Amino acid sequence: MKTICIAVVLLMPFIPGYSQEYTIKGKINSPDSLMILFGNGIVKTDTLFTKSGEFYFHGKLKHPDLMTLIVFKAGKREYVKRDFFIEGGEIIVNTNFHDLYKAKIVMPQHDAQDKYNEFRKRFNPLVTVARSIIDSSYTGIRIVPEKKLFINLYNRVNQIEKEVAESFVLENTDNIVGAFVFCNYDRIEDYERLYSIYQMFSPTLQDSRFLKSVKDKIVALYSLKNGNPVMTFSATSSSNQIITLSDFRGKYVVLDFWGTWCSPCLKGFAKMKKYYNKFQDKIEFISIACNDTDSDWRKAIKEYKLNWIQILNKKDTDDLESQYNVETFSTKILIDKDGNLVQVFKGETDDFYDKLDSMFEQKKRNRKD
């Protein structure tokens, strides 16, 4: 694997130990009482209730960060939100409730926000086109050639989105917004390519939450290359047992990522139970529920009578969804007896079950021969 070394000029004076305090304050004009949330949605989100619409938040940044201000009308489902990069200092927002999305935000440092605006100016028109294609594809009755045309158009726009995002990243490896776009919009599935671009960012930027996430994806993609060792993990099952993946060496294992909110996942359990009963002496099934509450998860286990190992993913501690780069539900990861990846199966298709049949039925035939 090649290591790419370049000199970088930072957007702002990042140094090891960089830290800035910030305050964000102002007033959201509304006749209703408001609930206001502020944070990055990952590490910390602050909440306050206000009758006057006035608000104040204070915190400290390790790096400039993309923050979100969400304002709810108390007792109602109506809300507005605004995303923006902050770099420290006093930030002021004064606006009417319905104008938050376009309100002027006063901030002493705005290099990162300017870069963020530049990216949105390039990328947003493509998002609009993609949505228009999707909406048009569902309008009226479409014959097969028309459906194929819309699919091809949509795939082409997706490809252009990827090219625009990657171009922006390569132009901005010297700043935090480039790291943000690299993490959230550059859909590269080649771990060597990901790593080569990752290496273009400075060590300080690599310490940001955005590039830490990219690093996790690089490790996951490497692990999920056919024939490579799969990362192990330990987690607590629904029966309060500590489950460690490496303990199953000597037996095939499938990691099944699903959710109670995923209709295809739920419909797929009937066939999964059939194959569990068929091959349970040869393969261990481990289902990992993602983006679920404990109560919904346990209710589904009981309702669908899932009698193999069940784990609830914990995003705030050991996020297995991220560790195994799961982006589609369901996803099934098949691991051999030595802990190496056999294959990843995305979606509820027969491919996974056909693979089990071909592996284990072939072994049975070979023994008879």
Side-chain angles (χ1 to χ4, degrees), residues 185-296:
Y185 293 91
D186 203 338
R187 299 185 293 272
I188 299 172
E189 294 299 318
D190 178 349
Y191 71 87
E192 290 184 337
R193 174 66 175 159
L194 267 179
Y195 183 71
S196 69
I197 297 176
Y198 171 84
Q199 288 290 87
M200 295 180 185
F201 290 87
S202 70
T204 304
L205 286 172
Q206 288 175 7
D207 188 50
S208 69
R209 69 182 180 95
F210 303 123
L211 292 189
K212 284 181 178 178
S213 179
V214 171
K215 184 178 179 181
D216 290 342
K217 182 175 182 178
I218 292 168
V219 174
L221 286 173
Y222 175 79
S223 175
L224 295 176
K225 185 175 180 181
N226 289 2
N228 281 359
V230 174
M231 290 178 290
T232 190
F233 67 86
S234 292
T236 304
S237 72
S238 58
S239 58
N240 291 321
Q241 291 181 307
I242 301 299
I243 304 300
T244 301
L245 181 59
S246 58
D247 289 344
F248 296 99
R249 293 286 170 85
K251 192 175 185 180
Y252 282 88
V253 176
V254 60
L255 304 181
D256 168 51
F257 289 85
W258 68 291
T260 63
W261 43 267
C262 170
S263 296
C265 301
L266 300 180
K267 290 177 181 178
F269 279 137
K271 190 162 189 176
M272 196 168 177
K273 284 194 285 186
K274 176 183 175 182
Y275 272 75
Y276 173 72
N277 293 329
K278 184 178 181 180
F279 293 128
Q280 62 179 299
D281 60 326
K282 300 177 178 66
I283 183 169
E284 193 68 50
F285 282 44
I286 302 176
S287 284
I288 303 166
C290 300
N291 307 311
D292 262 316
T293 63
D294 186 86
S295 59
D296 287 344

Side-chain angles (χ1 to χ4, degrees), residues 119-160:
F119 171 69
R120 302 285 5 156
K121 187 176 180 180
R122 294 192 203 180
F123 198 79
N124 284 5
L126 294 169
V127 175
T128 301
V129 171
R131 287 175 179 167
S132 177
I133 292 170
I134 292 172
D135 291 343
S136 298
S137 68
Y138 287 107
T139 303
I141 300 174
R142 300 291 180 188
I143 60 176
V144 173
E146 288 178 324
K147 289 180 179 178
K148 288 183 177 179
L149 176 61
F150 280 112
I151 291 171
N152 289 336
L153 284 172
Y154 182 74
N155 289 340
R156 179 55 185 146
V157 173
N158 272 338
Q159 179 59 34
I160 295 172

Side-chain angles (χ1 to χ4, degrees), residues 81 120 237 260 363 365-366:
K81 75 171 189 172
R120 302 285 5 156
S237 72
T260 63
K363 290 178 185 295
R365 285 193 294 270
N366 290 341

Side-chain angles (χ1 to χ4, degrees), residues 15-31:
I15 55 173
Y18 164 89
S19 178
Q20 284 203 25
E21 292 189 3
Y22 69 84
T23 59
I24 176 168
K25 64 181 183 179
K27 184 175 182 180
I28 308 295
N29 297 310
S30 172

